[in-house]
Amino acid sequence: MSAQTTQLAGAPRGASGQQDAPRERRAAHLVDAARDRRVELLLGAVAVSVVALIGLILATVLINGWPSFAANGLSWFAPGGDIVTQFRAMQTGIPLPGHPLLYFRAWPLIWGTLLSTAGAVAIALVVSTLAAIFLTEFAPGPVRRVLAPVVRLLAGVPSVIYGLVGILAIVPWVNENLISNGRRQSVAYVVQLNGANLSTAILILTVMILPIMVALTANALASVPVSWREGSAALGVNRWRTIWRVSLRAARPAIAAGTVLATARALGEAVMLAMLSGGRPFEANPLDGFTFLFEPIETLAAGILQEFGGETNTPIGHTAYAMGALLLFSAAMLSFASWAVKQRLRRYGVGS
Amino acid sequence: MTAAASAPTQEPTLAIVRPRRESTSSWPLADRLAHLLCWTVGIGLCLLTAAIVLLMLVKGISQLRLHLLLEPPSPSLHQSQSGGFSTPIIGTLIVTAIGTAVAVPAAVALATWLSEYGRPRWLARAVESGIETIAGIPSIVLALFGLLIFARPFFGILSGSANNGSVSGQSFLVAGLVMALLAMPLVASTVLEGFMQLPPRLREASFALGKTRASTTRHVLLPAIRPAIASGSVLGMGRIIGDTAIIWILLGGTLKNVPVGSAPIVSTLRGTGSTLTSYIYSNAVGEGNSHQKAYAAAFVLLLIVLALNALVTRLSGGRSAYLPGGLGARR
């Protein structure tokens, strides 16, 4: 670049100045070294502040959520009662009979988070792997040239837009076409079914996290050394098995990284799920058979968004921060897991 | 079959010419089924992307009117009187500007330290995993954290206060600062990637001329990775523009911009307001409840994202936005 050429052009001048005053030059060098040290300290301070910041985030969120944990003990994580009535009790300041004001049982939200995240990530893992293979191996040139940038674009689409498409296009359709009246009546005594339910949440969450996983996997598949695959082909292995056994295996670190990224996004997704769940924290029950897929859920992140009013030092505030602390803990565990997995897979892989 | 995955030979071989159309008839049934499944999923992906793009295009263009872009929103039950989304667009610009202005210098400093200094080693490793951890924190938790910090009386200057004198902790400034935290990891990792792709001879040439590390960084390396800094900034902007949870909690969710105090520009920055994302959210589910306007606003938001995406592709030399290749290596 231009800066580089100026540096090179400046070289002879520095060389000719060498015979003038060696002592001055040494002094200048000391000044330079001191300045270098100052810059290092300054930049280092910025870097250390990042680590300090994480400590601060963990500490403050946990401290403000602590009253909720303290009031409920380990039962905080347990099932028990209706979340909505618990939140209303905190809002009005009238505790539920026989319970403290901070009484809260988060299991329905945790269950909803687990279901939606696991469902979406499991589907997206399979679909994105196959789609990435298609994109790098089988797609005709023109299709690939159009699809690759579009997938990248979809990875950057804000979640609120996915939520909008979901609530205005998919939810009404599911409500009218997929849920029969008999099914509605079979669970009418506990919950009212509409289009905003577990399956739509998982569907849209999958669509949301798919692009990033496809992009990462496709990038890794494209960077598998040709010689590895030629070696496989030369041994008489057919093309599909070469892809499956050689390319995909080499791309495992990228697949793991993409999965972790997608899980983090699904776990923390608040807005889209808040739009879809409609504020009905119901504990979807697998024993209901097929109806299970059409029961509403609510996740931790969406619950915070819907119930938290912006006051930190109220019962609702403490409960929201406790939920946030749980999310934070899960996110930290997730990045630790990704680090551990990558350490193991890095040896034989490409990209990450 | 598994032996195929073992070490490849490094000797030069004749290039394998793959036939144009490969017959799968000799493959085992399982392989053929998997191959078929792969095509199905691929075509499904094409249809899905086409459906999303077309839906947004049709709904957006059919709902977008010029007056929507020019009028501020107003709380009204009648669609004809509830205005447009001019102030949300301005709100998006303000938050993005603040967030980028804070995040980019911090991220560049961070990446520079990690790449050029990075001593002691354990600290560098801790910082690196710290950046990764921040990248994984859900934005709603960052919003909770921001509210807790900025609602302290010490930061009262950044936002308005409620009637009882307590600091609200909700303003454009606060939202922008927390957005910087959200965007910082993305910018830092892109810049770091740019540093790593510089050829070592750049540094060596500069050191050979007697330049210090600081001077080398300032005058040689940073100019060389300018494309990486630029595309990192744009990626960060995209992240900021698309986030809703931080806006919803830290910007107060008021439909209009509500200034605090009387100083002309500072009052807006200290006040609450809305951005395109929170406008869409409140119109899709909340009190606004105007689906047409939500679609129109989403279309505008999508156009901004599209423009930023094109910019990233351009800045990173037509390579992938996620694995910026050959950034600094270009002459």
Side-chain angles (χ1 to χ4, degrees), chain A residues 32-96:
Chain A
D32 275 357
R35 187 182 298 153
D36 198 25
R37 183 85 192 130
R38 273 209 307 280
V39 171
E40 177 174 2
L41 284 178
L42 187 71
L43 294 176
V46 175
V48 171
S49 66
V50 168
V51 181
L53 200 62
I54 291 182
L56 190 67
I57 294 176
L58 278 172
T60 50
V61 171
L62 191 62
I63 287 174
N64 204 43
W66 189 252
S68 178
F69 286 130
N72 293 292
L74 274 181
S75 329
W76 193 90
F77 301 93
D82 181 16
I83 296 245
V84 174
T85 51
Q86 290 162 14
F87 271 122
R88 290 305 147 261
M90 286 180 232
Q91 213 168 37
T92 52
I94 307 162
L96 292 171

Side-chain angles (χ1 to χ4, degrees), chain A residues 1-341:
Chain A
M1 296 236 159
S2 61
Q4 197 188 347
T5 45
T6 20
Q7 289 289 323
L8 290 175
R13 252 182 284 140
S16 67
Q18 211 165 29
Q19 66 246 42
D20 299 348
R23 272 181 59 202
E24 251 176 57
R25 281 185 51 81
R26 200 187 304 154
H29 181 254
L30 283 179
V31 170
D32 275 357
R35 187 182 298 153
D36 198 25
R37 183 85 192 130
R38 273 209 307 280
V39 171
E40 177 174 2
L41 284 178
L42 187 71
L43 294 176
V46 175
V48 171
S49 66
V50 168
V51 181
L53 200 62
I54 291 182
L56 190 67
I57 294 176
L58 278 172
T60 50
V61 171
L62 191 62
I63 287 174
N64 204 43
W66 189 252
S68 178
F69 286 130
N72 293 292
L74 274 181
S75 329
W76 193 90
F77 301 93
D82 181 16
I83 296 245
V84 174
T85 51
Q86 290 162 14
F87 271 122
R88 290 305 147 261
M90 286 180 232
Q91 213 168 37
T92 52
I94 307 162
L96 292 171
H99 293 302
L101 184 58
L102 277 167
Y103 178 78
F104 188 67
R105 297 287 181 265
W107 176 249
L109 299 180
I110 299 173
W111 177 237
T113 310
L114 284 177
L115 277 181
S116 60
T117 306
V121 171
I123 298 174
L125 185 59
V126 175
V127 173
S128 75
T129 307
L130 288 172
I133 293 177
F134 175 78
L135 204 60
T136 47
E137 300 281 343
F138 301 120
V143 175
R144 185 182 323 176
R145 274 192 291 279
V146 174
L147 205 55
V150 172
V151 165
R152 235 168 27 233
L153 171 72
L154 287 184
V157 170
S159 57
V160 70
I161 291 185
Y162 285 114
L164 186 72
V165 171
I167 198 169
L168 298 187
I170 309 222
V171 166
W173 187 83
V174 170
N175 188 31
E176 278 164 29
N177 298 322
L178 291 189
I179 309 178
S180 66
N181 273 331
R183 176 157 292 144
R184 258 179 245 278
Q185 271 150 23
S186 71
V187 288
Y189 62 98
V190 277
V191 65
Q192 202 184 355
L193 298 186
N194 66 20
N197 54 40
L198 178 63
S199 52
T200 37
I202 289 183
L203 176 74
I204 296 175
L205 208 50
T206 308
V207 172
M208 212 181 91
I209 62 180
L210 203 54
I212 186 110
M213 293 175 80
V214 173
L216 282 172
T217 311
N219 262 334
L221 283 179
S223 58
V224 172
V226 182
S227 60
W228 293 11
R229 303 173 22 174
E230 282 172 352
S232 169
L235 289 170
V237 179
N238 73 35
R239 189 157 168 223
W240 177 260
R241 290 221 170 157
T242 300
I243 295 167
W244 198 253
R245 293 265 169 86
V246 179
S247 302
L248 208 57
R249 207 165 264 227
R252 276 190 312 188
I255 297 178
T259 309
V260 167
L261 215 61
T263 314
R265 201 167 171 197
L267 192 72
E269 182 47 53
V271 174
M272 192 276 281
L273 288 168
M275 289 166 93
L276 275 184
S277 67
R280 297 173 301 160
F282 181 74
E283 200 183 321
N285 187 354
L287 297 179
D288 289 346
F290 200 57
T291 311
F292 166 60
L293 290 177
F294 297 106
E295 288 172 352
I297 54 155
E298 172 117 307
T299 65
L300 286 166
I304 298 175
L305 193 74
Q306 287 181 325
E307 297 297 339
F308 184 58
E311 277 154 356
T312 53
N313 210 11
T314 55
I316 287 198
H318 291 311
T319 312
Y321 276 85
M323 286 152 69
L326 182 58
L327 276 180
L328 197 54
F329 178 74
S330 321
M333 284 296 103
L334 207 58
S335 55
F336 178 72
S338 99
W339 174 82
V341 167

Side-chain angles (χ1 to χ4, degrees), chain B residues 10 13 51 54 63 66 80 121-122 146 157 163 205 219 227 236 247 254 273 281 284 288-289 305 307:
Chain B
Q10 291 300 317
T13 50
L54 280 181
Q63 303 297 347
L66 187 62
S80 56
R121 191 75 201 104
W122 58 266
I157 188 89
N163 291 332
H219 296 291
I247 295 295
T254 49
Y281 180 60
N289 221 2
V305 172

